[in-house]
Amino acid sequence: MKGRPTARSRRRAGAMHLVHAFASPAVIQAEGALTLVKGKGVYVWDSEGRRYLDGLASLWNVAVGHGRPEIARAIAAQTRQLSFAPTLLGFSSEPAQKLAARIARMAPKGLTRVIFTSGGSEANETVIRLVRLYWRLRGREEKIKFVALDRAYHGSTTGAASLTGLPHFHRYYEPLMPGVVRMMRPYCYRCDLGLRYPQCGVACADELERIVEREGADTIGAFIAEPVQGVGGVVIPPPGYFRRIREICDRHDILMVADEVITGFGRLGTRFGMDRWKVAPDMLVFAKSVTSGYLPLGGVVLRESIYQTLVDAGPDFALHHGFTYAGHPVVCAAALANLDILEREKLIARARKLAPYLARALGSLRRHRIVGEVRSIGLMGAVELVRDRETKEPLAAELKAGARIRNACLERGVIVRASLDTIAVCPPLIVTPKQIDEIVSALDVAIGEVGNELADRDSARVNR
Ligand code: PLP
């Protein structure tokens, strides 16, 4: 069944008593939210039986697709066997131990120890506390600042939101955590330095060197970035960017943290995003695809030397950081079943193989005048809309072009996401070429319609 989602499938939020985050409460109150009732493979269904192709892997996380019986069985079996064990009080469980070992085996070289959380924001809070703890244990009391990129997304708890570089996560919530230094992002389409790759020599990475000079290396604990910015608009750094960042971090004794919440577990066609850039960070943050969203899980993988610093602190030191549900056995069992699927169905290699197909399919959207840039890497892509292709002038914000295209796709049974006027596509890794065509063809019609509407408005304005 296709067509506009109706009022019934958008059950009233007020009646549901449920607050939907990342949305306007006023709009949800007036229009309700689409109620999803079923998922299978790359598809989800609403309460009236309408089917949608999940072109965003729900929230960049449902890597193996919806409704996998293997994961359901693993969850049920572990619940019957042992439903909880408090890793905070020195108890452990087999699923948590097995999962930590498996993630350590998958992680870039040298990253060996895993600390679990219930999601990405908690994992970044963990990073903030561990970076400061690490430097203090090493007698470097002043190394407490973080360098984070413009328009990065690291979560919405107070520390993680302070690392986040999106103004709407700050405006109403100040004061933020002090000690975050903002750095330009590697955004070649709109280079802050007005340069072009490769002649630029990746000068945007050298900005870190200038920040270190200005702030003093003795005050900076860590640099944090996503291997590819997700929420910020699928911004892909140029080759060599992270290698330069790694060199600068090494030169000044600064920890390098990769936030792999979206890019981890295959999204870019490699186990982790940093494998794609051939760089090993000191801490690696994961969440989302580790369970494909079946249950909430996140965590941080630590370099062995960081962990050894905690051990060397001796028996009188205890790690006073952690969460009740860290290493939850049922959640870890779900993650193990999910990683089994990822491995058995060779989904990481599949992402790498299908990447050129997605790139070509999205590339066809360049025929629309309002498409300024199309970019993709692995099975993650974006279409950036502009008013004027030559000057890259953005569309007026009040036109809400991105949101309109997203809604027009939804009416055609395809889910994508709009970050302002950048439309993101990030399907489950099991997606087929035909399903990629389905996503792109919905985008094609939606961009065409909205583009024509905007052109009509423009000419009406000129003729007035
Ligand atoms: N870091 C990145 C890169 C993310 O994309 C997200 C969520 O989208 C987070 C952190 C926050 O994760 P969570 O929503 O699980 O707290």
Side-chain angles (χ1 to χ4, degrees):
M1 204 196 302
K2 285 219 171 137
R4 185 184 290 272
T6 64
R8 247 179 57 210
S9 57
R10 292 180 171 279
R11 291 238 302 277
R12 290 294 163 118
M16 293 191 294
H17 297 274
L18 176 61
V19 179
H20 294 77
F22 286 23
S24 156
V27 172
I28 297 264
Q29 185 68 26
E31 296 176 7
L34 203 64
T35 304
L36 300 179
V37 296
K38 189 176 112 177
K40 188 85 197 146
V42 298
Y43 294 103
V44 289
W45 282 261
D46 74 14
S47 50
E48 284 186 37
R50 270 191 187 74
R51 191 182 80 167
Y52 303 87
L53 202 170
D54 185 2
L56 199 78
S58 285
L59 199 47
W60 324 84
N61 58 343
V62 184
V64 301
H66 298 269
R68 291 292 195 136
E70 306 92 311
I71 303 182
R73 277 196 296 272
I75 291 171
Q78 185 57 47
T79 307
R80 278 193 294 267
Q81 177 71 29
L82 174 71
S83 58
F84 186 71
T87 58
L88 290 197
L89 295 184
F91 296 97
S92 196
S93 74
E94 282 177 10
Q97 291 171 8
K98 268 197 195 161
L99 182 62
R102 187 152 179 183
I103 291 173
R105 272 202 308 278
M106 291 179 81
K109 200 159 170 264
L111 278 75
T112 52
R113 308 285 179 157
V114 180
I115 179 162
F116 287 120
T117 66
S118 297
S121 302
E122 276 184 7
N124 280 319
E125 294 300 328
T126 300
V127 162
I128 292 168
R129 286 168 63 81
L130 287 189
V131 164
R132 291 178 171 171
L133 167 67
Y134 169 77
W135 288 120
R136 292 219 160 100
L137 287 174
R138 301 194 53 160
R140 312 278 299 269
E141 290 282 327
E142 307 291 317
K143 278 174 91 66
I144 56 169
K145 290 184 195 162
F146 290 82
V147 180
L149 299 184
D150 284 338
R151 302 199 72 81
Y153 185 68
H154 296 296
S156 68
T157 47
T158 295
S162 304
L163 297 176
T164 291
L166 296 161
H168 44 286
F169 282 85
H170 296 167
R171 202 178 332 143
Y172 295 108
Y173 310 97
E174 290 174 331
L176 303 172
M177 176 185 84
V180 178
V181 184
R182 202 57 55 211
M183 177 169 147
M184 69 177 64
R185 58 183 179 159
Y187 184 19
C188 295
Y189 181 59
R190 297 182 186 280
C191 177
D192 282 329
L193 298 167
L195 300 173
R196 277 176 92 95
Y197 179 82
Q199 295 84 344
C200 63
V202 199
C204 53
D206 293 331
E207 183 64 13
L208 181 56
E209 191 78 64
R210 277 185 286 283
I211 289 174
V212 173
E213 267 166 37
R214 192 183 69 219
E215 305 283 328
D218 282 350
T219 71
I220 301 176
F223 166 92
I224 182 167
E226 300 150 85
V228 170
Q229 279 193 350
V231 180
V234 186
V235 170
I236 306 164
Y241 177 80
F242 280 112
R243 225 165 311 138
R244 183 81 52 83
I245 293 286
R246 177 78 264 184
E247 283 161 22
I248 298 170
C249 286
D250 286 345
R251 201 158 43 245
H252 298 289
D253 247 358
I254 292 168
L255 295 176
M256 180 180 175
V257 184
D259 182 345
E260 299 250 13
V261 166
I262 289 180
T263 52
F265 304 100
R267 179 53 58 189
L268 306 188
T270 46
R271 288 170 171 178
F272 290 96
M274 279 297 161
D275 296 328
R276 179 87 194 215
W277 305 126
K278 298 193 167 40
V279 168
D282 299 302
M283 292 188 186
L284 184 153
V285 177
F286 64 88
K288 298 201 187 275
S289 297
V290 65
T291 59
S292 285
Y294 282 67
L295 287 175
L297 178 66
V300 188
V301 196
L302 305 176
R303 190 170 280 288
E304 180 65 17
S305 52
I306 296 176
Y307 177 72
Q308 279 309 321
T309 302
L310 309 185
V311 174
D312 293 346
D316 291 336
F317 165 79
L319 179 57
H320 282 110
H321 174 81
F323 307 96
T324 297
Y325 297 113
H328 192 293
V330 178
V331 178
C332 292
L336 287 164
N338 171 63
L339 296 182
D340 283 345
I341 295 174
L342 211 68
E343 209 171 283
R344 195 172 58 243
E345 298 183 6
K346 300 186 172 47
L347 294 183
I348 300 179
R350 181 190 176 79
R352 196 160 52 240
K353 234 170 72 195
L354 268 184
Y357 192 91
L358 177 69
R360 262 196 315 276
L362 286 175
S364 69
L365 300 172
R366 288 195 181 95
R367 71 186 185 85
H368 295 283
R369 269 198 342 192
I370 59 166
V371 170
E373 188 183 56
V374 174
R375 46 185 180 260
S376 70
I377 180 166
L379 286 183
M380 184 175 181
V383 179
E384 182 163 341
L385 309 170
V386 289
R387 178 160 185 271
D388 184 320
R389 244 178 178 163
E390 295 306 311
T391 61
K392 302 183 185 173
E393 180 192 338
L395 288 154
E398 63 270 19
L399 295 176
K400 296 194 163 80
R404 282 157 71 170
I405 288 170
R406 178 243 178 220
N407 293 341
C409 284
L410 201 62
E411 283 179 18
R412 274 173 193 81
V414 169
I415 299 172
V416 293
R417 178 171 180 175
S419 289
L420 300 175
D421 283 343
T422 297
I423 316 289
V425 170
C426 179
L429 304 184
I430 55 164
V431 73
T432 62
K434 195 160 161 276
Q435 289 159 346
I436 290 177
D437 291 344
E438 240 181 278
I439 297 170
V440 174
S441 113
L443 274 169
D444 192 33
V445 178
I447 294 173
E449 268 176 24
V450 173
N452 286 342
E453 253 177 71
L454 298 182
D456 288 350
R457 275 196 194 197
D458 246 11
S459 57
R461 199 169 49 105
V462 171
N463 294 332
R464 250 202 316 263

